[in-house]
Amino acid sequence: METATTCEELAAWNKAYLWHPFTQMKDYVKGEPLIIERGEGILLYDVRGRAYYDGFSSVWLNVHGHNVPELNEAVASQLAKVAHSTLLGMANVPAIELAAKLVRVAPKRLTKVFYSDAGATGVEIALKMAFQYWHNRGVGRKTKFITMNQAYHGDTLGAVSVGAIPLYHDVFRPLLFSSYVIPYPYAYRTSGGASAAMEATLSALRELLESRADEIAALLVEPVVQGASGIIVMPQGCLREIDALCRKHDVLLIADEVATGFGRTGAMFACDLEGVSPDLMVVGKGLTGGYLPLAATLATDEIYAAFYADYSEQKTFFHGHSYTGNPLGCAVALASLRLLEERKMIHTVNAKAAFAAKKLAPLADWPHVGEIRQQGLMIGIELVRDKKSREPYAWTERIGVRVCMRARELGMLTRPLGNVVVLIPPLASTEAELDAMTDILAAAIYDVTEEGWGA
Ligand code: PMP
């Protein structure tokens, strides 16, 4: 008994044996599970043959669509050589080639690549590198981190320690190290708007650094777009100012580009939008085009140099995972980056983003659409109970969940972030596909919030 013979049997086994991430299983087992069988382009097909647009890029990572011949070929040809060998004290061919490629496309100060297998592990590595960097340099007092309100950096305990979303993180607080938290500039919910929000962030950071920089190892930021908090876009210039303040006070800047990297925001990296070159940068998700679990933490020469010493000095970075630098993942990442360049994808993202923005613009006048936020092909629509007062829907109304369930009925998959509904399509989506997806999103919002219209 290893293969289910019917859709019903699969559904029963799903409910009996699988425990899903970020999912209340008591709700899940009540419904008919969505079970994906295959993908083609930006469509996913379930076991009953129903097609859905992948409106959230399978949790923000798909770049070129599904079942892409060039990417399939990259995996297959690497598979015919070797599926895995370790990077502990030895190398493999695609891991070397991908590292060279990443250094070429990354912000200029980043020259070394350390692999892992998820965004969260990439973040753990950045935190540990930053911490040990100061230790190795004999500056043992710099041990603390700065994070931003509502930040999300993954689900392992180090990443949760620098997380600041109460619903996800508070329960684990007794297990975590404490971090300084400064406000993230959330213009829509700051009286005075973007400039006031940016000033609140920068003045809090300035004050903290002026009094405590000598105990702070690094600041960790989701550059330009804070994702899981609700696709919140920073005011222009804010990241550059954060970078300048960190530099002035000798605090490392860690850019978490897990969600924003590889063209998603309309530039190769969100840091590029502001001309910022961080000390450490974490990439994951779109690195492999959305094919295989691979992440990387990029570091500067200066950081690398602090670990480069005689073995007896005990400055080695003692960290690694069994699948670090997996050759299949590295081979498909190389192929994905090649396609990104050959197809001039980043250039096309801006045109596609403009198309989607134009399509969604009329929704801004709708009575329950508070704000439409967008950077490249990362779009979040914040729904509100009352447009004028910006009163949010109560979380118990599950407005985001209901809109996304309606979108699914209409043929598009996405997941909400509280009251924010996201559209994060694969970068390869055509205008016709974006047209269809924005139509479905609008219809789903209309259908679910309509009862309040004119009230
Ligand atoms: N950092 C950011 C900014 C993210 O958005 C995410 C995932 N959504 C992560 C880290 C964690 O990545 P992973 O799920 O691959 O561990």
Side-chain angles (χ1 to χ4, degrees):
M1 187 194 84
E2 278 170 7
T3 320
T5 50
T6 62
C7 296
E8 289 71 26
E9 193 170 29
L10 262 181
W13 289 8
N14 179 180
K15 292 177 185 182
Y17 304 119
L18 258 186
W19 188 348
H20 292 260
F22 279 92
T23 303
Q24 177 43 261
M25 294 308 294
K26 187 171 177 182
D27 291 338
Y28 187 86
V29 297
K30 280 186 208 146
E32 186 203 341
L34 172 62
I35 306 172
I36 297 300
E37 187 172 50
R38 64 190 180 89
E40 194 68 52
I42 70 156
L43 291 173
L44 288 168
Y45 294 85
D46 73 6
V47 284
R48 295 181 189 275
R50 289 177 295 213
Y52 304 88
Y53 288 107
D54 189 352
F56 69 147
S57 295
S58 296
V59 195
W60 317 0
L61 44 73
N62 192 279
V63 178
H64 306 288
H66 299 278
N67 212 348
V68 181
E70 293 86 344
L71 301 188
N72 294 358
E73 166 56 26
V75 178
S77 67
Q78 180 57 42
L79 194 55
K81 294 174 186 157
V82 63
H84 186 68
S85 75
T86 184
L87 281 200
L88 271 62
M90 52 198 270
N92 68 64
V93 176
I96 295 170
E97 291 173 347
L98 177 62
K101 179 78 187 169
L102 284 172
V103 168
R104 272 204 297 279
V105 299
K108 60 181 182 307
R109 297 168 61 238
L110 298 164
T111 54
K112 300 286 186 234
V113 175
F114 195 103
Y115 292 112
S116 59
D117 39 33
T121 53
V123 167
E124 297 285 341
I125 289 162
L127 295 172
K128 288 174 75 177
M129 273 183 182
F131 182 93
Q132 195 181 341
Y133 164 77
W134 294 111
H135 173 88
N136 283 1
R137 284 188 48 190
V139 193
R141 282 210 336 280
K142 282 169 90 68
T143 57
K144 307 282 275 187
F145 292 91
I146 305 175
T147 186
M148 304 187 80
N149 197 27
Q150 297 288 318
Y152 179 81
H153 296 288
D155 297 326
T156 53
L157 287 176
V160 171
S161 293
V162 287
I165 297 184
L167 178 65
Y168 303 161
H169 301 143
D170 274 3
V171 62
F172 299 111
R173 211 48 76 191
L175 297 177
L176 309 177
F177 60 80
S178 68
S179 299
Y180 292 111
V181 184
I182 59 168
Y184 182 89
Y186 188 0
Y188 179 67
R189 298 232 169 253
T190 307
S191 67
S195 58
M198 176 159 152
E199 190 39 41
T201 298
L202 295 178
S203 60
L205 179 59
R206 213 174 287 122
E207 203 173 302
L208 181 59
L209 291 176
E210 278 165 9
S211 58
R212 299 189 184 274
D214 62 338
E215 57 176 82
I216 295 169
L219 177 147
L220 182 63
V221 63
E222 291 165 77
V224 183
V225 187
Q226 200 180 47
S229 61
I231 316 296
I232 306 176
V233 184
M234 281 184 176
Q236 225 179 356
C238 190
L239 183 67
R240 203 172 318 133
E241 294 289 329
I242 291 171
D243 177 48
L245 280 170
C246 287
R247 217 152 291 291
K248 179 174 168 198
H249 291 276
D250 216 12
V251 162
L252 299 175
L253 180 70
I254 306 173
D256 178 350
E257 292 260 8
V258 170
T260 49
F262 306 106
R264 177 55 64 191
T265 64
M268 182 57 114
F269 297 103
C271 284
D272 298 335
L273 295 167
E274 299 257 320
V276 165
S277 188
D279 299 285
L280 290 156
M281 185 171 94
V282 186
V283 295
K285 287 196 188 279
L287 171 59
T288 60
Y291 259 55
L292 286 166
L294 183 74
T297 306
L298 279 70
T300 59
D301 269 346
E302 194 187 344
I303 290 181
Y304 179 77
F307 292 78
Y308 192 87
D310 289 336
Y311 186 78
S312 57
E313 290 186 63
Q314 300 191 341
K315 290 184 172 176
T316 307
F317 189 51
F318 287 110
H319 183 112
H321 303 280
S322 303
Y323 285 97
T324 291
N326 173 254
L328 294 174
C330 292
V332 74
L334 268 168
S336 175
L337 284 168
R338 200 174 304 127
L339 281 189
L340 210 59
E341 284 178 350
E342 277 171 17
R343 297 181 178 173
K344 302 195 182 358
M345 299 281 285
I346 291 172
H347 186 68
T348 69
V349 166
N350 287 308
K352 290 172 185 178
F355 176 83
K358 202 163 153 213
K359 271 294 309 277
L360 292 170
L363 275 64
D365 294 330
W366 289 11
H368 295 286
V369 171
E371 188 182 41
I372 304 174
R373 296 187 281 267
Q374 180 176 4
Q375 179 66 51
L377 283 176
M378 276 184 109
I379 301 169
I381 301 180
E382 181 163 341
L383 302 174
V384 286
R385 165 153 289 292
D386 186 277
K387 194 177 180 88
K388 206 150 170 258
S389 68
R390 302 187 177 182
E391 180 199 342
Y393 281 100
W395 68 272
T396 44
E397 292 185 71
R398 297 164 35 110
I399 197 79
V401 174
R402 281 157 54 205
V403 170
C404 292
M405 287 314 285
R406 180 68 187 135
R408 185 192 288 189
E409 285 166 10
L410 297 172
M412 182 176 80
L413 304 178
T414 184
R415 262 181 81 86
L417 301 161
N419 293 341
V420 177
V421 182
V422 305
L423 178 63
I424 303 187
L427 305 192
S429 309
T430 63
E431 278 197 2
E433 289 163 339
L434 288 169
D435 197 36
M437 286 188 279
T438 46
D439 279 346
I440 291 176
L441 189 65
I445 292 171
Y446 180 89
D447 290 351
V448 173
T449 61
E450 162 188 52
E451 53 194 346
W453 283 42

PDB file of all heavy atoms in Angstrom, residues 60 118-120 152-154 222 256 258-259 285, ligand 1:
ATOM      1  N   TRP A  60       5.883  32.518  -2.954  1.00  0.00           N
ATOM      2  CA  TRP A  60       6.803  33.594  -3.314  1.00  0.00           C
ATOM      3  C   TRP A  60       8.138  33.127  -3.875  1.00  0.00           C
ATOM      4  O   TRP A  60       9.131  33.817  -3.753  1.00  0.00           O
ATOM      5  CB  TRP A  60       7.103  34.510  -2.112  1.00  0.00           C
ATOM      6  CG  TRP A  60       5.957  34.899  -1.256  1.00  0.00           C
ATOM      7  CD1 TRP A  60       4.644  34.564  -1.379  1.00  0.00           C
ATOM      8  CD2 TRP A  60       6.020  35.735  -0.087  1.00  0.00           C
ATOM      9  NE1 TRP A  60       3.894  35.123  -0.386  1.00  0.00           N
ATOM     10  CE2 TRP A  60       4.710  35.845   0.431  1.00  0.00           C
ATOM     11  CE3 TRP A  60       7.057  36.402   0.565  1.00  0.00           C
ATOM     12  CZ2 TRP A  60       4.412  36.586   1.574  1.00  0.00           C
ATOM     13  CZ3 TRP A  60       6.763  37.130   1.691  1.00  0.00           C
ATOM     14  CH2 TRP A  60       5.455  37.230   2.192  1.00  0.00           C
ATOM     15  N   ALA A 118      17.435  26.670   3.376  1.00  0.00           N
ATOM     16  CA  ALA A 118      16.160  27.386   3.542  1.00  0.00           C
ATOM     17  C   ALA A 118      16.475  28.826   3.916  1.00  0.00           C
ATOM     18  O   ALA A 118      17.577  29.115   4.412  1.00  0.00           O
ATOM     19  CB  ALA A 118      15.317  26.740   4.649  1.00  0.00           C
ATOM     20  N   GLY A 119      15.509  29.692   3.711  1.00  0.00           N
ATOM     21  CA  GLY A 119      15.712  31.077   4.106  1.00  0.00           C
ATOM     22  C   GLY A 119      16.080  31.176   5.581  1.00  0.00           C
ATOM     23  O   GLY A 119      16.994  31.910   5.973  1.00  0.00           O
ATOM     24  N   ALA A 120      15.365  30.418   6.404  1.00  0.00           N
ATOM     25  CA  ALA A 120      15.607  30.477   7.853  1.00  0.00           C
ATOM     26  C   ALA A 120      17.040  30.063   8.200  1.00  0.00           C
ATOM     27  O   ALA A 120      17.695  30.711   9.028  1.00  0.00           O
ATOM     28  CB  ALA A 120      14.611  29.582   8.587  1.00  0.00           C
ATOM     29  N   TYR A 152       9.809  39.324   9.773  1.00  0.00           N
ATOM     30  CA  TYR A 152       9.737  37.865   9.667  1.00  0.00           C
ATOM     31  C   TYR A 152      10.981  37.374   8.941  1.00  0.00           C
ATOM     32  O   TYR A 152      11.271  37.826   7.826  1.00  0.00           O
ATOM     33  CB  TYR A 152       8.482  37.422   8.889  1.00  0.00           C
ATOM     34  CG  TYR A 152       8.414  35.922   8.747  1.00  0.00           C
ATOM     35  CD1 TYR A 152       7.935  35.125   9.770  1.00  0.00           C
ATOM     36  CD2 TYR A 152       8.864  35.303   7.584  1.00  0.00           C
ATOM     37  CE1 TYR A 152       7.909  33.746   9.652  1.00  0.00           C
ATOM     38  CE2 TYR A 152       8.832  33.922   7.452  1.00  0.00           C
ATOM     39  CZ  TYR A 152       8.353  33.149   8.486  1.00  0.00           C
ATOM     40  OH  TYR A 152       8.325  31.782   8.368  1.00  0.00           O
ATOM     41  N   HIS A 153      11.708  36.451   9.577  1.00  0.00           N
ATOM     42  CA  HIS A 153      12.935  35.968   8.955  1.00  0.00           C
ATOM     43  C   HIS A 153      13.014  34.443   8.925  1.00  0.00           C
ATOM     44  O   HIS A 153      14.087  33.894   8.692  1.00  0.00           O
ATOM     45  CB  HIS A 153      14.150  36.545   9.696  1.00  0.00           C
ATOM     46  CG  HIS A 153      14.240  38.042   9.586  1.00  0.00           C
ATOM     47  ND1 HIS A 153      14.595  38.679   8.411  1.00  0.00           N
ATOM     48  CD2 HIS A 153      13.979  39.039  10.472  1.00  0.00           C
ATOM     49  CE1 HIS A 153      14.568  39.988   8.595  1.00  0.00           C
ATOM     50  NE2 HIS A 153      14.193  40.240   9.827  1.00  0.00           N
ATOM     51  N   GLY A 154      11.894  33.754   9.212  1.00  0.00           N
ATOM     52  CA  GLY A 154      11.912  32.302   9.181  1.00  0.00           C
ATOM     53  C   GLY A 154      11.574  31.726  10.535  1.00  0.00           C
ATOM     54  O   GLY A 154      11.377  32.459  11.511  1.00  0.00           O
ATOM     55  N   GLU A 222      14.449  43.375   6.176  1.00  0.00           N
ATOM     56  CA  GLU A 222      13.885  42.939   4.898  1.00  0.00           C
ATOM     57  C   GLU A 222      13.947  44.172   4.002  1.00  0.00           C
ATOM     58  O   GLU A 222      13.173  45.109   4.182  1.00  0.00           O
ATOM     59  CB  GLU A 222      12.435  42.481   5.095  1.00  0.00           C
ATOM     60  CG  GLU A 222      12.297  41.200   5.892  1.00  0.00           C
ATOM     61  CD  GLU A 222      10.863  40.969   6.385  1.00  0.00           C
ATOM     62  OE1 GLU A 222       9.999  40.565   5.589  1.00  0.00           O
ATOM     63  OE2 GLU A 222      10.618  41.210   7.583  1.00  0.00           O
ATOM     64  N   ASP A 256      18.026  40.646   4.411  1.00  0.00           N
ATOM     65  CA  ASP A 256      17.320  39.384   4.173  1.00  0.00           C
ATOM     66  C   ASP A 256      16.562  39.515   2.855  1.00  0.00           C
ATOM     67  O   ASP A 256      15.456  40.039   2.812  1.00  0.00           O
ATOM     68  CB  ASP A 256      16.367  39.109   5.342  1.00  0.00           C
ATOM     69  CG  ASP A 256      15.553  37.837   5.142  1.00  0.00           C
ATOM     70  OD1 ASP A 256      15.584  37.269   4.026  1.00  0.00           O
ATOM     71  OD2 ASP A 256      14.870  37.419   6.096  1.00  0.00           O
ATOM     72  N   VAL A 258      15.524  37.041   1.056  1.00  0.00           N
ATOM     73  CA  VAL A 258      14.899  35.743   0.770  1.00  0.00           C
ATOM     74  C   VAL A 258      13.642  35.932  -0.084  1.00  0.00           C
ATOM     75  O   VAL A 258      13.431  35.217  -1.066  1.00  0.00           O
ATOM     76  CB  VAL A 258      14.587  34.992   2.087  1.00  0.00           C
ATOM     77  CG1 VAL A 258      13.718  33.761   1.839  1.00  0.00           C
ATOM     78  CG2 VAL A 258      15.882  34.584   2.771  1.00  0.00           C
ATOM     79  N   ALA A 259      12.821  36.906   0.282  1.00  0.00           N
ATOM     80  CA  ALA A 259      11.589  37.126  -0.483  1.00  0.00           C
ATOM     81  C   ALA A 259      11.803  38.066  -1.661  1.00  0.00           C
ATOM     82  O   ALA A 259      11.121  37.968  -2.684  1.00  0.00           O
ATOM     83  CB  ALA A 259      10.507  37.690   0.436  1.00  0.00           C
ATOM     84  N   LYS A 285      14.447  31.076  -1.539  1.00  0.00           N
ATOM     85  CA  LYS A 285      13.238  31.061  -2.378  1.00  0.00           C
ATOM     86  C   LYS A 285      13.527  31.024  -3.896  1.00  0.00           C
ATOM     87  O   LYS A 285      13.713  29.961  -4.458  1.00  0.00           O
ATOM     88  CB  LYS A 285      12.371  32.281  -2.032  1.00  0.00           C
ATOM     89  CG  LYS A 285      11.671  32.130  -0.662  1.00  0.00           C
ATOM     90  CD  LYS A 285      10.546  33.141  -0.537  1.00  0.00           C
ATOM     91  CE  LYS A 285       9.933  33.192   0.843  1.00  0.00           C
ATOM     92  NZ  LYS A 285       8.948  32.155   1.110  1.00  0.00           N
TER      93      LYS A 285
HETATM   94  N1  PMP B   1      13.065  35.727   5.283  1.00  0.00           N
HETATM   95  C1  PMP B   1      12.032  36.273   4.637  1.00  0.00           C
HETATM   96  C2  PMP B   1      12.042  37.741   4.353  1.00  0.00           C
HETATM   97  C3  PMP B   1      10.960  35.475   4.228  1.00  0.00           C
HETATM   98  O1  PMP B   1       9.911  36.039   3.605  1.00  0.00           O
HETATM   99  C4  PMP B   1      11.006  34.092   4.498  1.00  0.00           C
HETATM  100  C5  PMP B   1       9.883  33.148   4.083  1.00  0.00           C
HETATM  101  N2  PMP B   1       8.713  33.678   3.715  1.00  0.00           N
HETATM  102  C6  PMP B   1      12.100  33.584   5.188  1.00  0.00           C
HETATM  103  C7  PMP B   1      13.115  34.416   5.556  1.00  0.00           C
HETATM  104  C8  PMP B   1      12.191  32.127   5.547  1.00  0.00           C
HETATM  105  O2  PMP B   1      12.474  31.367   4.440  1.00  0.00           O
HETATM  106  P1  PMP B   1      12.197  29.771   4.474  1.00  0.00           P
HETATM  107  O3  PMP B   1      10.720  29.616   4.537  1.00  0.00           O
HETATM  108  O4  PMP B   1      12.790  29.272   3.197  1.00  0.00           O
HETATM  109  O5  PMP B   1      12.888  29.245   5.679  1.00  0.00           O
END
